[in-house]
Amino acid sequence: MSFFKLLLSFAPWISFLIIASGHSMFRLKLGIVVAALLVVATGIAKLNRGVILWATAGFFLYALVAVVWKTHLWAIEHMGLLANGTLAAGTWFTVAIRKPFTLEYAREHTSPSVWNSPLFIRTNYILTCVWGVAFLGSVLNAWVQMSHPDAPRWIFNVAQYSCMLAAMLITTWYPKYVARTAHRS
């Protein structure tokens, strides 16, 4: 999967992260609304699919009701944990049910003849686990941020962006690496 397509598939989360960063209720609500609209757009465009689409849709529907409509303080205070926890749970759920979420995206770019090969499936398990670890890192980052509200926000933003960027880079690099090493054998 190309780096650009990955960015587009995570557009709701990225927009939410960028817009909602800061201590403004307006920005938080705007970030949720923009992200919810992007969930619909990426779903229609089939950039986002499967369990991750449903986890994303469920989270932003919850956020629309709890934060935008009801202004529920607990949800607002725990938004970082809830967002990252949703992604982590969705990702690890796909591993647990033996359908790693990256399979659906990878099948779009590969021949159906390799879809059942052990190497293709193992590669997607590894990539899904990379995303799961990145999301768990983001959960930890959100928890530390909640525990240290006076710490500079930029530190947590850099940590969050680093987790996502690392997962994206590995996702674009690793399949090419596997293909090169498989052809050498």
Side-chain angles (χ1 to χ4, degrees):
M1 178 178 249
S2 76
F3 188 80
F4 181 70
K5 196 146 189 185
L6 264 172
L7 282 174
L8 288 176
S9 68
F10 280 101
W13 294 102
I14 293 168
S15 68
F16 174 66
L17 182 64
I18 292 169
I19 296 168
S21 288
H23 293 289
S24 161
M25 182 61 67
F26 172 76
R27 286 184 63 160
L28 176 61
K29 289 182 177 186
L30 178 63
I32 291 168
V33 170
V34 169
L37 292 172
L38 285 170
V39 169
V40 174
T42 58
I44 290 171
K46 297 186 181 188
L47 292 170
N48 212 341
R49 57 181 67 105
V51 171
I52 295 300
L53 170 63
W54 292 110
T56 301
F59 171 78
F60 285 110
L61 178 62
Y62 168 77
L64 280 169
V65 172
V67 177
V68 176
W69 183 34
K70 298 280 190 177
T71 315
H72 191 265
L73 273 174
W74 184 90
I76 293 165
E77 290 171 359
H78 294 85
M79 192 56 42
L81 280 175
L82 293 169
N84 293 302
T86 297
L87 284 168
T91 299
W92 290 111
F93 176 74
T94 68
V95 171
I97 64 169
R98 304 178 59 90
K99 292 185 180 190
F101 85 88
T102 59
L103 273 174
E104 292 189 49
Y105 297 95
R107 285 181 176 147
E108 187 177 300
H109 304 286
T110 57
S111 166
S113 64
V114 300
W115 289 0
N116 294 318
S117 80
L119 182 61
F120 181 75
I121 293 168
R122 185 176 64 238
T123 298
N124 281 281
Y125 269 105
I126 289 168
L127 291 175
T128 300
C129 289
V130 164
W131 280 102
V133 169
F135 294 143
L136 286 175
S138 295
V139 168
L140 178 62
N141 182 54
W143 179 76
V144 172
Q145 185 175 3
M146 277 183 46
S147 303
H148 298 86
D150 295 332
R153 257 181 113 65
W154 69 267
I155 293 171
F156 300 107
N157 289 340
V158 167
Q160 177 74 24
Y161 297 143
S162 296
C163 285
M164 296 306 103
L165 184 61
M168 287 177 154
L169 290 173
I170 291 169
T171 300
T172 56
W173 166 79
Y174 187 69
K176 293 172 189 168
Y177 169 78
V178 169
R180 276 194 315 269
T181 56
H183 289 293
R184 286 186 209 152
S185 301

